[in-house]
Amino acid sequence: MNAQDLAAALQGRLIVSCQAPPGDPMRETSTLVRLALSAVAGGGAAIRANEPEVVAAIVAAVDLPVIGLWKDGDTGVYITPTVRHALAVADAGAAVVAADATDRPRPDGSTFAELVAAVHAAGALVMADVATLAEGIAAAGQGADLVSTTLSGYVPGTPEQTGPDLDLVASLSAAISVPVVAEGRINTPEEAAEALDRGAHSVVVGTAITAPTALTSRFVGALARRADDGVDGPDRV
């Protein structure tokens, strides 16, 4: 799939992130494949998935573009941190390789432009995960096929928010010609729709759709805070 065809397939549509963190009961390949199939059945336009084994299994199971990545570690640059990681994801069949495109140093000393060139040579496209407007502009200039707001709020110096960084979505959409993907803390359908209104080409949603452990924890936390605040329930007879 070339960049133009991908852009057409994703315009105004939902990308579902089917991932689970280490130690989560959902972190099992066949389970993640079923999540992807559920996303397809619900009308998703593409799947975002982590690790070559899972990417390959989802590619084999669904007839949609798969945006693959490889998280290695949990600090610094860990979303597809090296050219080796990127090529492994491309070899697994991902139509698009997502990679950290922040201005932080990469573990192998490579540049983002070198990663883009390697992935393009392998026949896949590249999604740049960025945290700031400057990083998004730079990534587009280095050949990224899509730019995503994935890392806003997760990199030191970027605003901590409970919801999506729609200001960044709007700024990027006005500044670059490649499709801008809204990703990160999109919790409701209304927020997803607003992201499109702010200029997003498409929207990635993960936790709010595919993370029952995190969703359960949110409800548990809300009830616990209510109890801590001393709010009583209705009188019962």
Side-chain angles (χ1 to χ4, degrees):
M1 179 176 287
N2 62 38
Q4 291 74 26
D5 290 342
L6 180 72
L10 297 183
Q11 185 165 16
R13 300 190 66 193
L14 177 68
I15 301 163
V16 181
S17 181
C18 298
Q19 301 181 48
D24 192 287
M26 299 291 285
R27 194 179 174 99
E28 196 273 329
T29 298
S30 64
T31 300
L32 295 169
V33 169
R34 288 184 179 277
L35 282 178
L37 290 168
S38 296
V40 173
I47 305 297
R48 181 166 161 126
N50 174 39
E51 297 186 339
E53 176 187 337
V54 176
V55 169
I58 292 177
V59 167
V62 307
D63 189 23
L64 290 178
V66 174
I67 300 166
L69 58 137
W70 187 354
K71 292 180 179 176
D72 192 355
D74 57 9
T75 59
V77 175
Y78 66 88
I79 297 178
T80 320
T82 71
V83 172
R84 175 180 68 85
H85 289 82
L87 291 178
V89 172
D91 289 345
V96 182
V97 176
D100 184 311
T102 63
D103 59 10
R104 299 173 294 179
R106 308 182 69 84
D108 63 349
S110 66
T111 65
F112 181 71
E114 290 169 340
L115 182 146
V116 170
V119 171
H120 283 171
L125 303 175
V126 176
M127 174 183 281
D129 288 349
V130 304
T132 68
L133 174 61
E135 290 167 351
I137 293 172
Q142 293 175 85
D145 303 286
L146 307 101
V147 172
S148 177
T149 60
T150 312
L151 291 168
S152 176
Y154 300 105
V155 174
T158 58
E160 294 185 10
Q161 303 181 52
T162 57
D165 189 347
L166 298 181
D167 288 341
L168 179 58
V169 170
S171 297
L172 282 169
S173 298
I176 62 178
S177 59
V178 303
V180 173
V181 179
E183 180 173 5
R185 301 177 303 278
I186 297 173
N187 295 309
T188 67
E190 292 75 20
E191 287 179 341
E194 186 179 356
L196 295 182
D197 291 342
R198 297 291 295 274
H201 185 86
S202 51
V203 178
V204 175
V205 178
T207 299
I209 296 175
T210 59
T213 303
L215 292 171
T216 301
S217 179
R218 286 181 184 176
F219 280 90
V220 169
L223 298 182
R225 288 190 294 275
R226 184 176 186 277
D228 290 341
D229 290 340
V231 179
D232 295 325
D235 292 337
R236 297 185 183 275
V237 297

